[in-house]
Amino acid sequence: MSAGEGKKAVVAALLANLGIAVMKFIAFALTFSSAMLAEAIHSVADSGNQGLLLLGAQRAKRQATPQHPFGYGRERYIYAFIVAVVLFFVGGIFALYEAYHKLSHPTPIESWHWVPIVVLVGAIVLETFSFRTAIQETNKIRGDASWSQFVRHARVPELPVILLEDLAALVGLVFALIGVGLTLITDNGIWDGIGTVAIGVLLITVAAILAIEIKSLLIGEAATDEQCRAIEAAIRGGDEVDDIIHMKTIHLGPDELLVACKFAVKHDDTAADVARGIDAVEARIRAAVPIARVIYLEPAIKRAAAKVE
């Protein structure tokens, strides 16, 4: 996925969360509901998430330099990791902090009873539109993978983050709606605190999942199995290569792949033959997997296996 393919989902989520955050803060100011405050901070954190994702995508476009010869593609992973570790955990821990105070001193919602219900229902509607956009954008590149497989194995950070973020936002809104609703029905503020606890646990759980998945991308993941098969087929697609001795791949960014391959050539090939063969193999790899932008090919003479006496 290029930087632009997930931008629509990120921008849709950003606009939705900014509007939702304003609505929630107004509701909190009128009702002093801890669940509403936790949800308002959650929406602010989500807005920050989208801002960081957009910033990371922009900075990743910078040209390679002598100090960073492979470019800045992995900055998208770094900003996504910050989203997971900092903003999600901040939102989750803040929610648990508010829940502790609410559970220690539960107070009912004494005025503007209808406001939090209206705000939460409106927020669910807006968040559903954002989630729908994320699903539509993901379906363009998901292929036959299940949703869990896509989140676990996607080499792009933006869409998995937005998908889990929007899902967490929808579930959190339901928790808040249940907590506030039960508080209004029973006139007991403890339900508000319990709803806030559920929101905090939800955010921390999602943060942990994202942190684990994005950490793997930061360390460096290989091309997908499908891409590796396509690259191997491209290498073997001509008579220049006698055999593949070994091949390694690694993502320099979501849409940039490094390929390194040592392959055997015929023992009677001249240097000119080998040079032409390398050019032909490289061209086939780029045609088969366009994101294979950095390619290192090493020719070698295949040694026969030692005979066992």
Side-chain angles (χ1 to χ4, degrees), residues 190-222:
I190 197 169
W191 294 108
D192 193 20
I194 292 173
T196 310
V197 169
I199 293 168
V201 172
L202 172 69
L203 292 181
I204 291 175
T205 300
V206 171
I209 294 171
L210 282 176
I212 291 170
E213 297 304 327
I214 297 173
K215 182 195 75 170
S216 179
L217 293 172
L218 277 172
I219 293 172
E221 290 191 359

Side-chain angles (χ1 to χ4, degrees), residues 1-282:
M1 185 195 83
S2 66
E5 285 180 299
K7 188 175 181 180
K8 182 178 179 180
V10 177
V11 171
L14 175 60
L15 295 176
N17 280 305
L18 287 174
I20 291 169
V22 172
M23 294 165 58
K24 290 175 181 176
F25 274 119
I26 293 173
F28 166 71
L30 295 174
T31 64
F32 296 102
S33 164
S34 66
M36 291 305 306
L37 179 58
E39 274 297 308
I41 297 299
H42 178 187
S43 293
V44 171
D46 284 352
S47 300
N49 293 349
Q50 283 100 50
L52 283 173
L53 291 175
L54 291 172
L55 177 62
Q58 186 63 36
R59 290 181 61 82
K61 295 177 182 178
R62 289 179 295 166
Q63 296 297 316
T65 65
Q67 188 176 6
H68 298 93
F70 293 113
Y72 294 85
R74 287 193 183 181
E75 284 219 34
R76 288 167 69 182
Y77 299 149
I78 292 171
Y79 281 90
F81 192 76
I82 293 172
V83 166
V85 173
V86 179
L87 293 179
F88 263 123
F89 273 114
V90 166
I93 291 172
F94 179 83
L96 293 180
Y97 172 80
E98 280 298 311
Y100 170 77
H101 284 279
K102 191 69 174 185
L103 293 173
S104 301
H105 306 284
T107 56
I109 297 174
E110 298 177 346
S111 60
W112 300 92
H113 295 169
W114 55 271
V115 169
I117 301 298
V118 171
V119 167
L120 289 170
V121 171
I124 288 173
V125 172
L126 289 176
E127 201 65 63
T128 299
F129 280 113
S130 174
F131 192 36
R132 181 188 175 198
T133 301
I135 290 174
Q136 290 174 337
E137 292 298 297
T138 300
N139 281 335
K140 295 177 181 178
I141 63 171
R142 184 166 62 94
D144 296 329
S146 67
W147 290 103
S148 61
Q149 288 173 335
F150 175 78
V151 171
R152 289 181 57 198
H153 301 299
R155 301 304 195 264
V156 297
E158 290 87 359
L159 285 176
V161 169
I162 293 297
L163 279 170
L164 288 183
E165 181 183 272
D166 284 351
L167 178 61
L170 278 172
V171 176
L173 286 167
V174 172
F175 287 159
L177 187 61
I178 293 172
V180 170
L182 289 175
T183 298
L184 292 173
I185 292 171
T186 63
D187 206 32
N188 187 345
I190 197 169
W191 294 108
D192 193 20
I194 292 173
T196 310
V197 169
I199 293 168
V201 172
L202 172 69
L203 292 181
I204 291 175
T205 300
V206 171
I209 294 171
L210 282 176
I212 291 170
E213 297 304 327
I214 297 173
K215 182 195 75 170
S216 179
L217 293 172
L218 277 172
I219 293 172
E221 290 191 359
T224 64
D225 291 341
E226 181 181 359
Q227 289 170 333
C228 285
R229 288 192 294 269
I231 293 170
E232 289 181 0
I235 294 172
R236 300 180 189 274
D239 59 1
E240 308 90 355
V241 176
D242 192 36
D243 195 12
I244 295 176
I245 298 173
H246 62 73
M247 183 186 78
K248 295 181 180 179
T249 63
I250 190 169
H251 271 271
L252 301 175
D255 48 10
E256 187 171 15
L257 191 64
L258 182 150
V259 178
C261 178
K262 185 173 184 178
F263 63 90
V265 298
K266 300 177 181 65
H267 64 83
D268 55 349
D269 281 350
T270 66
D273 292 333
V274 171
R276 284 192 296 270
I278 289 174
D279 291 340
V281 170
E282 184 174 337

